[in-house]
Amino acid sequence: MTVTTVFNATQPPTGEACAPRPVLRERGQREVFCGLTGIIWLHRKIQDAFFLVVGSRTCAHLIQSAAGVMIFAEPRFATAILDERDLAGLADANEELDRVVGRLLERRPDIRMLFLVGSCPSEVIKLDLARAAHRLSAVHSPRVRVLNYSGSGIETTFTQGEDACLAALVPELPERADTGTPQLLVAGALADIVEDQFRRTFAELGMNDVAFLPPRQSSDLPAVGPGTRVLLAQPFLTDTTARLQERGCEILSAPFPYGVEGTTAWLAKAAELWNVPKARFEDVIAPAAARARKALEAHRFRLSGKRVFFFPDSQLEIPLARFLAQELGMMPVEVGTPYLNRQQMALDLEQLPQETLISEGQDVERQLDRCRSAKPDLIVCGLGLANPLEAEGFTTKWSIELLFTPVQGFEQAGDLAELFTRPLVRRTRLEV
């Protein structure tokens, strides 16, 4: 059965009256990756952590293919294979899991945090990985902390793997004493170079009590509490923000840091809390903002006036569409997102052109019909749709590349624009 409804989306965070805009809500067949894919960037970020997927050979092939890992590499992720005996209930999966974890930690003494990552197969056979993580933590602590989260693709999309991972980390964060002064926590995995850039900017603004989640080392988990203000670096952290709010943290409402306008507003929201004078704020960001504007100009002439269509995949669609429309002059025809968190997306959502169709969820056949009818210049979609659409003559952009590439902040604005320019340039060269 396919369900299609249209409702009004409002923007509640500021409490201000906003004109509602219609949102098309669809429930049908979807085309998305599962949350296991998030391991590819998370294992690079938390440098003493290991991700053990409890799943099938298909899970192992997905992770290895997505990561491009050679057979002789030593990555910090692996798959504990559930075979036919496990799936049929003929073997004790917990006993085998304990054996695999013991061998892994003996072989890799550098591991300080181990994530047991659930998959579709482990969920189907009702393998209780939360209990297994608790049991294994008791065995291997204090040297290794064992946590678990689900990367299953059942009713989820691939960026929710990071959300589930960070949500699992939140209960482990130390309690921060209420000192009466604000602390800033930037939530969402960022490339190290982007994190370093933001740290320098915050320091220049006089903001020194700044932490990042996830940290680079599991021993550096930031303390949080009622004085913690959270600035989201990724728009898909619904469960993580809920867990942080339970710890007394306040979630700040800001556009996401894509491009000049998004990054400026994102930084300004944090500067507000520290009462940074406006003149000082503008002096600090001016050089980087000027470089970013110059970098964007090199792409604007190719992108301005072009029509772009977003299939729902990464949950980055709304802030990216805002960036393309506001800063590069593109026209988003339809912006589809797997799940629409109206509160977190409000400020990006309200800056999209009114004629842009916003859709939540997916009925892939209906959406493909709308896309073909619209004949956009560029389609942003998952790998499963890209090749067929290219075969039909459309120009596509893989949405997953936007997660693998550093794109936040001023210094990356030109790189972000180039990700959308590149397929159009490729198409032009092929036509010649």
Side-chain angles (χ1 to χ4, degrees):
M1 178 185 295
T2 298
V3 179
T4 303
T5 54
V6 177
F7 61 94
N8 288 332
T10 57
Q11 295 76 40
T14 61
E16 299 175 357
C18 299
R21 64 184 303 158
V23 176
L24 176 66
R25 185 181 185 187
E26 293 188 314
R27 293 294 180 265
Q29 183 180 349
R30 303 176 305 148
E31 292 286 341
V32 293
F33 270 146
C34 70
L36 298 179
T37 318
I39 292 170
I40 306 309
W41 60 87
L42 287 168
H43 95 282
R44 297 173 184 168
K45 185 63 184 179
I46 314 174
Q47 296 166 10
D48 59 354
F50 194 97
F51 295 81
L52 182 62
V53 177
V54 183
S56 66
R57 295 187 188 279
T58 302
C59 303
H61 291 318
L62 169 66
I63 297 298
Q64 188 150 2
S65 298
V69 177
M70 293 295 199
I71 194 68
F72 52 80
E74 276 276 58
R76 281 179 285 105
F77 58 85
T79 305
I81 302 293
L82 293 169
D83 60 22
E84 291 81 357
R85 284 171 52 79
D86 299 306
L87 298 174
L90 300 177
D92 188 335
N94 281 290
E95 184 178 310
E96 180 67 11
L97 182 60
D98 290 1
R99 185 182 69 81
V100 169
V101 169
R103 284 177 53 199
L104 171 65
L105 296 180
E106 182 180 349
R107 182 169 174 265
R108 301 289 294 270
D110 56 311
I111 297 172
R112 292 293 176 265
M113 178 175 285
L114 175 63
F115 289 99
L116 301 180
V117 186
S119 63
C120 300
S122 67
E123 291 195 0
V124 167
I125 66 171
K126 308 299 182 188
L127 184 58
D128 192 342
L129 291 182
R131 181 175 294 182
H134 187 268
R135 179 180 70 249
L136 289 165
S137 265
V139 172
H140 297 285
S141 65
R143 186 173 74 87
V144 180
R145 182 180 301 170
V146 184
L147 305 176
N148 87 284
Y149 73 89
S150 174
S152 166
I154 301 174
E155 296 300 320
T156 61
T157 190
F158 75 93
T159 49
Q160 287 176 272
E162 178 180 333
D163 188 20
C165 177
L166 299 192
L169 274 178
V170 172
E172 305 295 317
L173 303 182
E175 188 68 30
R176 179 179 184 268
D178 189 359
T179 61
T181 58
Q183 173 211 30
L184 181 66
L185 177 68
V186 178
L190 293 169
D192 289 349
I193 188 172
V194 178
E195 180 182 320
D196 290 342
Q197 290 166 2
F198 283 144
R199 282 188 185 276
R200 287 195 295 270
T201 300
F202 288 133
E204 290 173 15
L205 291 171
M207 302 165 57
N208 297 311
D209 193 356
V210 179
F212 288 77
L213 180 72
R216 300 183 192 185
Q217 299 290 328
S218 63
S219 57
D220 295 332
L221 291 176
V224 299
T228 304
R229 308 293 187 267
V230 180
L231 199 55
L232 298 177
Q234 299 288 11
F236 44 74
L237 301 179
T238 299
D239 290 344
T240 303
T241 55
R243 300 294 85 78
L244 287 168
Q245 287 173 315
E246 291 169 1
R247 296 288 302 271
C249 304
E250 177 187 343
I251 311 299
L252 301 178
S253 180
F256 290 91
Y258 300 120
V260 179
E261 302 302 327
T263 303
T264 298
W266 189 80
L267 291 169
K269 189 64 180 182
E272 254 179 54
L273 292 176
W274 270 259
N275 298 314
V276 178
K278 185 177 180 181
R280 180 179 181 182
F281 176 79
E282 291 177 350
D283 285 345
V284 167
I285 71 164
R291 287 193 299 272
R293 288 191 181 94
K294 184 176 181 180
L296 291 181
E297 282 301 323
H299 300 278
R300 191 187 307 275
F301 80 98
R302 292 190 184 276
L303 296 177
S304 181
K306 294 289 194 299
R307 301 164 77 247
V308 60
F309 192 107
F310 282 86
F311 278 85
D313 196 52
S314 66
Q315 298 188 69
L316 303 180
E317 293 84 9
I318 289 174
L320 287 176
R322 188 279 309 159
F323 162 70
L324 293 175
Q326 185 180 49
E327 303 192 40
L328 292 168
M330 294 192 79
M331 177 58 211
V333 179
E334 177 172 336
V335 180
T337 187
Y339 307 99
L340 178 58
N341 186 323
R342 296 163 193 79
Q343 186 166 357
Q344 289 176 192
M345 297 288 188
L347 297 178
D348 285 292
L349 187 63
E350 68 185 20
Q351 294 179 67
L352 288 177
Q354 284 298 313
E355 58 268 33
T356 298
L357 173 63
I358 309 298
S359 61
E360 179 187 14
Q362 189 175 39
D363 181 329
V364 67
E365 295 299 335
R366 291 190 180 193
Q367 194 166 41
L368 282 168
D369 288 342
R370 294 197 299 273
C371 180
R372 293 181 181 114
S373 177
K375 295 182 174 60
D377 299 290
L378 180 65
I379 300 171
V380 183
C381 60
L383 277 69
L385 292 176
N387 285 346
L389 287 168
E390 287 278 348
E392 294 182 27
F394 291 102
T395 303
T396 64
K397 175 70 204 165
W398 293 353
S399 56
I400 197 168
E401 191 177 356
L402 297 158
L403 271 299
F404 291 167
T405 308
V407 293
Q408 295 91 348
F410 291 124
E411 305 298 345
Q412 284 65 238
D415 296 333
L416 176 57
E418 186 180 7
L419 289 176
F420 297 97
T421 303
R422 196 181 300 155
L424 295 171
V425 172
R426 182 191 68 229
R427 172 68 64 178
T428 301
R429 288 175 177 168
L430 288 174
E431 288 173 352
V432 172

